[in-house]
């Protein structure tokens, strides 16, 4: 009995030890399994850089309106990129530009720089550069004549800032590469676009139209990037709607609705991270009361300083801070005082969100419809005219008649859907990273198409040409004279005018039929080519996501046909490499630009989009045929011919935009002095507009890249001397407007308008302006000035 107790005691201990090790082994297996399940699948890196460009004198790209020249900033433009690679394998690079479209010449020069820096790591094969299609960015950066006529030819400053910005954002992404996971999600957004050419869409086969609920694509596809250490570091999404919420008369540089959505989401994430440690904050809470008249999508600063308790004390502090007057400063000052950091926020990579363009060819953000400005009635359905005049027919955005509000609303709708997809996504991308790319001469592609007897026949694409309806414009931006959409005959007078430039031969007329040719751009070569013939097509693959890079604007139905054709190739024959729900997205306006791509049936109607389908009625069939070849090569692992190289026309470019000769001010006035100040002892409420006018100089002297022309600052209470940046010219509530009293004057003004947001902290504020002046001898000097302080309650 004496030994029984110790024996049982030791047996119990041994029993517990055994169970401990069993449970420990089970726990380690579970942890190992959990770790395996959350194991990084890719290397991911994101980058972002300023590409705002010249904010004065330069014609804007998109509407081809020679009178629409930049004169200030609504908010800044950016290039945003992601790099995704297998740890020991291939990589792909996608760049989203807050620009009207990609440029073949820009792509060529970016690739040259990347090859010089990284060798064969990033080439034309695996780099895609896509534009969001804002019509409110500086033009002059494309290389073909027809796209730079209204900007007085090539604008080197526009070109350089885009090339530099793309390179720098890719460098950032490369230097930020870390193990991570990519999630994908998609959902329906129904109120951010309408079909602006419904009569052409209706000409598509009934059995095809019956497959779809809407005459525009309503699906948004979103990627969520998660770094293993830092968690969420960015999101990119693709959704089809035009960048034409801002009208053809707007003169402020703007990313339009997609640029706005990107700004909103990046600021939303920053605020959510600050408030809840990357917790949950609903966009309704974030966006409460943020109409542009009343608010802004950004918290005033990370740390709101303590402020005085009485209004009188506020007024006293404001009265002690009068306008400083203009003074010389260093160039770095405006960059240092910007609200947002350029690359990182502490050790954490900056959150990057991009709203990319898709098959937006016939999709307008002016969702209220098109109306006659003289009668208020709906425009003619087939021709979009009012009493026979296209100039009177305009689309209306949801904020009509305020284009800034329409931009905010359509941007907000995309932002909200993106947040919803971002917060609810669960599907991970899994599988190889791969790509295929080739160049094709679209002026002479042989295309196999169905014949009327049930067999097949061979057709061809044509040298580029633009039809009469091209000059009619769209309901987003009507043209002039007596052109109209839906014109398949042409006009004898304008044909005579056309013939002064180039008379198309009968072969070209027959090839482009039923398009009546207004400009035979593909055969116009002086002083250098007017339109491209050699174009890139490209497929990027990240697991079950496939991105189709197209150098133009596909209409809704043409995009559907292309996606379906590629999806069929990828999933045919029981292929197990792609999930049955493989995600295929179109990245529009990528790597080059060649205007529109309609279906064969839409082409027959010759609306604006059909008249702008350069290579004839079989253009879409050529794209589908050639993309199927790329998809087949992607599946089989085979290489594909690189095709003919596009021309590099940089050395031939002609630029006629006059340079800045000199800036001046009246006698006794310095650059940066206040011309019109806020009233003394001013008190403003949230929602009020504060306006200050400064004596300024041409913004082309210094683009303030990663800097700001305008700044709203908040006074710190503790020392009552220093000021914290609160809002800059990248904020939706702050506008920088620049003007001359006359075109030839050396004098100019900068008007800073701040619509006080509902989220602004009460306190003492002032408005600052930064700029650079040019002397007659060519030297550049930077300056700054501040307004009198005022109180916000």
């Amino acid at each position: 009995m004496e030994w029984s107790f110790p024996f049982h005691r030791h047996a119990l201990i041994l029993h517990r030890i055994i169970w401990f090790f069993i449970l420990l082994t089970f726990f380690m297996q579970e942890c190992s399994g959990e770790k395996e399940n959350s194991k990084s699948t890719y290397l991911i890196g994101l980058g972002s850089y300023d590409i705002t460009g010249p904010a004065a004198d330069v014609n804007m790209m998109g509407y081809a309106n020679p009178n629409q020249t930049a004169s200030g900033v609504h908010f800044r433009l950016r290039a945003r990129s992601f790099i995704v690679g297998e740890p020991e394998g291939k990589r792909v690079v996608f760049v989203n530009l807050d620009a009207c479209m990609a440029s073949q010449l820009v792509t060529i020069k970016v690739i040259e720089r990347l090859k010089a820096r990284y060798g064969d790591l990033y080439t034309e094969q695996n780099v895609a550069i896509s534009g969001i299609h804002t019509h409110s960015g500086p033009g002059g950066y494309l290389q073909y004549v027809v796209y730079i006529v209204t900007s007085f030819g090539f604008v080197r400053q526009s070109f350089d800032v885009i090339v530099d910005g793309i390179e720098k954002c890719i460098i950032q992404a490369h230097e930020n590469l870390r193990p991570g996971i990519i999630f994908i999600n998609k959902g329906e957004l129904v109120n951010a676009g309408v079909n602006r050419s419904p009569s052409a869409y209706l000409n598509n086969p009934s059995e095809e139209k019956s497959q779809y609920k809407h005459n525009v694509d309503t699906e948004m596809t979103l990627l969520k990037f998660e770094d293993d250490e830092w968690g969420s570091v960015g999101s990119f999404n693709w959704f089809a709607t035009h960048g034409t919420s801002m009208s053809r008369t707007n003169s402020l540089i703007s990313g339009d609705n997609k640029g706005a959505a990107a700004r909103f989401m990046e600021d939303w994430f920053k605020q959510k991270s600050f408030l809840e440690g990357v917790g949950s904050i609903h966009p309704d809470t974030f966006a409460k009361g943020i109409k542009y008249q009343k608010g802004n999508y950004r918290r005033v600063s990370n740390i709101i300083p303590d402020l005085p308790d009485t209004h009188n004390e506020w007024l006293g502090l404001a009265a002690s801070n009068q306008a400083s007057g203009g003074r010389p400063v260093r160039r770095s000052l405006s960059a240092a005082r910007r609200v947002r950091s350029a690359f990182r926020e502490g050790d954490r990579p900056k959150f990057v969100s991009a709203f990319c363009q898709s098959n937006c060819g016939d999709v307008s953000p002016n969702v209220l419809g098109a109306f006659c400005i003289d009668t208020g009635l709906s425009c003619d359905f087939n021709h979009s005219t009012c009493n026979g005049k296209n100039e009177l027919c305009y689309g209306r955005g949801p904020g009509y008649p305020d284009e800034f509000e329409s931009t905010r609303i359509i941007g907000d709708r995309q932002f909200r859907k993106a947040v919803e997809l971002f917060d609810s996504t669960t599907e991970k991308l899994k599988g190889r990273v791969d790509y295929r790319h080739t160049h094709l001469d679209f002026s002479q592609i042989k295309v196999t198409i169905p014949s009327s007897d049930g067999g097949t026949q061979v057709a061809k694409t044509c040298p580029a040409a633009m039809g009469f309806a091209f000059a009619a414009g769209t309901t987003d931006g009507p043209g002039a004279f007596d052109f109209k959409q839906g014109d398949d005959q042409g006009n004898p007078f304008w044909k005579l005018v056309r013939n002064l430039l180039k008379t198309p031969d009968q072969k070209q007329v027959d090839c482009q039929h039923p398009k009546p040719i207004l400009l035979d751009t593909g055969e116009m070569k002086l002083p250098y080519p007017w339109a491209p013939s050699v174009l890139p097509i490209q497929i990027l693959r990240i697991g079950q996501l496939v991105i189709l890079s197209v150098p133009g604007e596909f209409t809704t139905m043409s995009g559907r046909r292309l996606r379906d054709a590629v999806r069929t190739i990828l999933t045919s024959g029981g292929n197990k490499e792609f999930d049955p729900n493989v995600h295929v997205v179109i990245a529009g306006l990528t790597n080059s630009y060649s205007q529109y791509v309609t279906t064969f049936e839409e082409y027959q109607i010759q609306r604006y989009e059909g008249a702008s389908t350069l290579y004839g009625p079989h253009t879409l069939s050529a794209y589908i045929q050639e993309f199927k070849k790329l998809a087949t090569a992607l599946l089989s692992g085979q290489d594909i011919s690189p095709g003919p190289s596009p021309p590099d026309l940089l050395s031939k470019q002609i630029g006629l935009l006059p340079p800045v000769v000199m800036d001046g001010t009246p006698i006794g006035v310095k650059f940066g002095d206040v011309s019109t100040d806020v009233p003394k002892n001013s008190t403003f409420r949230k929602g009020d507009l504060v306006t200050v006018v400064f004596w300024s100089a041409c913004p082309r002297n210094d683009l303030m890249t990663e800097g700001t022309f305008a700044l709203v600052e908040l006074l710190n209470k503790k020392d009552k001397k220093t000021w914290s940046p609160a809002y800059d010219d990248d904020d939706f509530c702050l506008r920088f407007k620049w003007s001359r009293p006359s075109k030839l004057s050396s004098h100019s003004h900068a008007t800073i308008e701040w619509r006080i947001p509902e989220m602004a902290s009460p306190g003492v504020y002032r408005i600052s302006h930064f700029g650079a002046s040019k002397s007659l001898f060519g030297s550049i000097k930077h300056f700054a000035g501040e307004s009198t302080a005022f109180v916000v309650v």
Side-chain angles (χ1 to χ4, degrees):
M1 294 295 295
E2 293 178 356
W3 291 96
S4 62
F5 176 76
F7 173 80
H8 287 295
R9 184 179 63 184
H10 288 302
L12 180 62
I13 293 173
L14 180 63
H15 181 266
R16 290 177 176 176
I17 291 173
I18 291 171
W19 272 107
F20 172 79
F21 278 103
I22 290 173
L23 291 173
L24 180 62
T25 302
F26 177 79
F27 177 76
M28 291 178 67
Q29 288 176 341
E30 286 297 298
C31 290
S32 175
E34 181 179 339
K35 184 177 180 181
E36 183 66 29
N37 289 336
S38 63
K39 184 179 179 181
S40 304
T41 50
Y42 302 108
L43 292 174
I44 60 174
L46 290 89
S48 174
Y49 204 80
D50 189 349
I51 59 167
T52 302
D57 301 329
V58 176
N59 185 247
M60 288 182 167
M61 183 64 205
Y63 287 116
N65 176 11
N67 297 318
Q68 187 192 16
T69 57
S71 61
V73 177
H74 178 206
F75 60 94
R76 289 193 163 257
L77 310 181
R78 301 197 71 80
R80 297 173 170 92
S81 65
F82 70 72
I83 299 176
V84 175
E86 297 177 85
E88 302 297 332
K90 294 181 177 180
R91 297 180 182 181
V92 295
V93 183
F94 189 90
V95 181
N96 186 66
L97 298 178
D98 286 347
C100 193
M101 67 280 291
S103 156
Q104 192 170 75
L105 186 58
V106 166
T107 301
I108 289 171
K109 295 307 176 184
V110 168
I111 297 301
E112 286 180 0
R113 292 191 183 188
L114 294 177
K115 287 182 177 179
R117 180 180 291 270
Y118 299 113
D120 291 331
L121 190 59
Y122 305 121
T123 70
E124 64 274 356
Q125 296 287 319
N126 63 345
V127 175
I129 302 172
S130 178
I132 63 170
H133 211 38
T134 174
H135 285 40
S136 295
Y141 63 93
L142 289 90
Q143 70 172 349
Y144 295 102
V145 172
V146 75
Y147 305 130
I148 54 177
V149 168
T150 57
S151 60
F152 295 104
F154 190 69
V155 180
R156 187 70 193 226
Q157 209 172 25
S158 293
F159 174 81
D160 284 344
V161 74
I162 292 177
V163 173
D164 291 345
I166 295 172
E167 180 190 24
K168 286 183 171 65
C169 81
I170 292 175
I171 291 171
Q172 284 183 15
H174 176 85
E175 293 179 348
N176 229 12
L177 278 168
R178 299 170 55 85
I181 302 169
I182 307 171
F183 293 88
I184 190 168
N185 203 359
K186 56 187 178 183
E188 188 176 47
L189 175 59
V190 297
N191 58 353
V194 295
N195 198 303
R196 69 185 187 188
S197 289
S199 59
Y201 180 90
L202 287 174
N203 205 44
N204 290 306
S206 298
E207 59 272 19
E208 183 179 36
K209 290 181 294 184
S210 66
Q211 300 175 38
Y212 304 100
K213 184 178 178 181
H214 303 282
N215 64 359
V216 294
D217 277 339
T218 57
E219 188 171 85
M220 175 184 285
T221 300
L222 177 136
L223 298 182
K224 178 180 181 179
F225 297 90
E226 289 208 349
D227 182 291
D228 276 3
E229 179 180 357
W230 294 108
S232 299
V233 291
S235 70
F236 276 58
N237 71 73
W238 290 264
F239 177 77
T241 193
H242 247 78
T244 49
S245 292
M246 302 295 286
S247 74
R248 67 196 299 270
T249 61
N250 167 60
S251 65
L252 300 185
I253 290 176
S254 173
D256 210 276
N257 56 71
K258 285 190 176 292
R263 166 54 55 236
F264 298 164
M265 190 153 185
E266 288 174 349
D267 288 342
W268 165 81
F269 186 84
K270 182 176 181 180
Q271 177 171 334
K272 133 176 166 170
S273 300
F274 174 79
L275 291 179
E276 302 191 20
V278 198
S280 174
I281 178 170
H282 195 276
D284 283 344
T285 302
F286 173 68
K288 184 178 180 181
I290 47 68
K291 289 185 178 181
Y292 89 87
Q293 296 97 331
K294 296 183 178 179
N296 182 53
Y297 278 94
R298 192 184 53 73
R299 206 169 39 78
V300 64
S301 64
N302 280 353
I303 301 175
I304 304 294
D306 293 331
L307 294 166
D309 296 326
T310 67
H311 184 247
N312 288 336
E313 188 175 353
W314 290 0
L315 288 175
L317 286 174
S320 65
N321 286 272
Q322 299 299 312
S324 65
R327 68 189 192 282
V329 298
R330 298 186 306 275
R331 162 65 182 88
S332 60
L333 182 61
S334 75
R337 301 187 75 174
R338 288 184 73 242
V339 172
R340 297 171 182 83
S341 61
F343 182 24
R344 305 185 76 86
E345 295 169 348
D347 293 330
R348 183 190 183 95
K350 182 178 179 181
F351 184 86
V352 177
S353 182
F355 285 68
C356 311
Q357 194 56 270
S358 189
N359 53 317
C360 67
D362 53 358
V363 187
S364 169
N366 296 312
V367 294
L368 298 185
F371 297 88
C372 299
I373 59 175
D374 56 343
T375 65
L377 301 175
S378 296
C379 305
D380 175 82
F381 181 76
N382 291 313
H383 303 290
S384 294
T385 56
C386 301
N387 296 317
K389 296 183 179 295
N390 68 78
E391 306 99 304
L392 302 177
C393 178
Y394 278 88
R396 294 180 180 176
Y400 175 83
D402 188 334
E403 62 189 319
F404 293 94
E405 179 65 357
S406 291
T407 299
R408 186 199 66 80
I409 292 172
I410 297 298
D412 179 66
R413 290 173 181 175
Q414 292 176 79
F415 154 69
R416 288 170 184 266
K417 174 54 65 174
V419 169
E420 176 188 321
L421 298 177
F422 184 89
D423 281 343
S424 63
T425 183
T426 59
E427 180 185 353
K428 295 179 183 178
L429 292 184
K430 296 176 290 184
R432 292 189 297 121
V433 172
D434 208 348
Y435 47 83
R436 290 296 183 276
H437 175 285
T438 190
H439 283 103
L440 301 165
D441 186 348
F442 268 82
S443 68
Q444 52 181 355
I445 296 177
K446 292 182 179 180
V447 187
T448 301
I449 61 174
S451 60
S452 57
D453 60 4
T456 61
Q457 61 181 353
V458 176
K460 287 185 67 175
T461 55
C462 323
M466 292 151 67
F468 273 67
F470 158 79
T474 71
T475 55
D476 291 336
F481 304 110
D482 54 352
F483 296 101
K484 64 180 180 181
Q485 295 194 68
D487 183 358
D488 60 1
Q489 298 298 319
N491 175 295
F493 171 76
W494 290 112
K495 286 182 179 178
L496 288 174
V497 175
R498 169 202 69 190
N499 292 344
L500 296 175
L501 293 173
K502 172 70 173 64
T503 304
D505 59 25
Q506 192 59 44
K507 181 181 178 182
Q508 173 75 324
V509 170
D510 292 341
C511 188
Q512 292 279 352
H513 181 78
K515 177 198 293 178
I517 298 173
L518 176 64
L519 290 173
D520 192 15
T521 53
E523 299 181 318
M524 298 166 67
K525 308 294 184 183
L526 295 176
Y528 42 88
W530 281 51
S533 58
V534 176
L535 294 171
I537 63 171
Q538 179 187 52
I539 292 181
L540 304 181
R541 177 194 174 181
I542 309 171
Q544 65 269 33
L545 170 69
V546 173
I547 302 171
L548 309 181
S549 300
V550 297
E553 303 174 60
F554 278 56
T555 60
T556 298
M557 194 63 86
S558 61
R560 288 168 174 168
R561 289 185 190 178
L562 177 61
R563 288 198 305 264
D564 289 346
V566 171
R567 184 182 292 110
T568 299
I569 293 293
L570 296 177
T571 58
S572 63
N575 175 34
K576 297 181 180 180
E577 192 172 356
F578 286 95
D579 195 278
N581 65 337
V582 57
H583 304 279
V584 182
V585 298
I586 289 177
L589 308 112
T590 301
N591 294 330
S592 187
Y593 183 64
S594 58
Q595 294 173 250
Y596 285 75
V597 180
T598 62
T599 67
F600 178 86
E601 295 81 2
E602 292 165 348
Y603 186 89
Q604 308 307 306
I605 303 303
Q606 282 297 293
R607 294 273 299 191
Y608 174 84
E609 295 81 12
S612 303
T613 297
L614 296 185
Y615 308 105
H618 304 297
T619 300
L620 175 60
S621 296
Y623 273 105
I624 291 174
Q625 173 182 282
E626 300 303 320
F627 263 104
K628 288 168 72 174
K629 294 178 183 178
L630 287 191
T632 301
L634 189 73
L635 276 181
S636 65
Q638 294 179 335
D639 292 332
I640 197 162
S641 169
S645 297
D648 179 344
L649 303 176
L650 182 58
S651 63
K652 297 184 178 181
Q653 294 300 313
I654 299 171
L656 302 177
L657 179 69
V660 179
V661 177
M662 65 167 292
D663 298 287
T665 58
I667 297 175
V669 174
K670 302 186 299 295
F671 292 107
D673 277 354
V674 174
S675 174
T676 303
D677 205 348
V678 294
K680 290 184 178 180
N681 300 318
S682 295
T683 298
F684 296 92
R685 298 184 178 277
K686 296 171 183 180
D688 289 347
L689 180 67
V690 183
T691 302
V692 180
V693 182
F694 296 88
W695 286 100
S696 189
C698 184
R700 283 197 282 155
N701 296 326
D702 188 323
L703 306 183
M704 295 296 175
T705 302
E706 289 294 359
T708 183
F709 290 108
L711 189 67
V712 175
E713 297 174 288
L714 175 62
L715 183 65
N716 294 316
K717 177 196 173 184
K718 291 183 179 179
D719 60 15
K720 300 179 182 179
K721 294 180 181 179
T722 60
W723 299 81
S724 298
Y727 301 91
D728 60 27
D729 67 10
D730 201 16
D731 277 294
F732 216 71
C733 64
L734 188 67
R735 297 179 196 166
F736 163 68
K737 298 180 177 180
W738 180 82
S739 61
R740 290 189 183 99
S742 65
K743 283 188 176 181
L744 298 179
S745 174
S746 63
H747 298 173
S748 63
H749 284 109
T751 301
I752 315 298
E753 296 179 350
W754 182 42
R755 184 71 66 173
I756 304 173
E758 291 294 337
M759 299 171 75
S761 175
V764 178
Y765 289 83
R766 71 179 182 185
I767 293 177
S768 300
H769 168 47
F770 301 91
S773 64
K774 182 178 181 181
S775 71
L776 185 61
F777 303 104
S779 62
I780 301 292
K781 295 183 179 180
H782 292 85
F783 62 85
E786 290 85 26
S787 73
T788 297
F790 55 92
V791 174
V792 173
V793 295

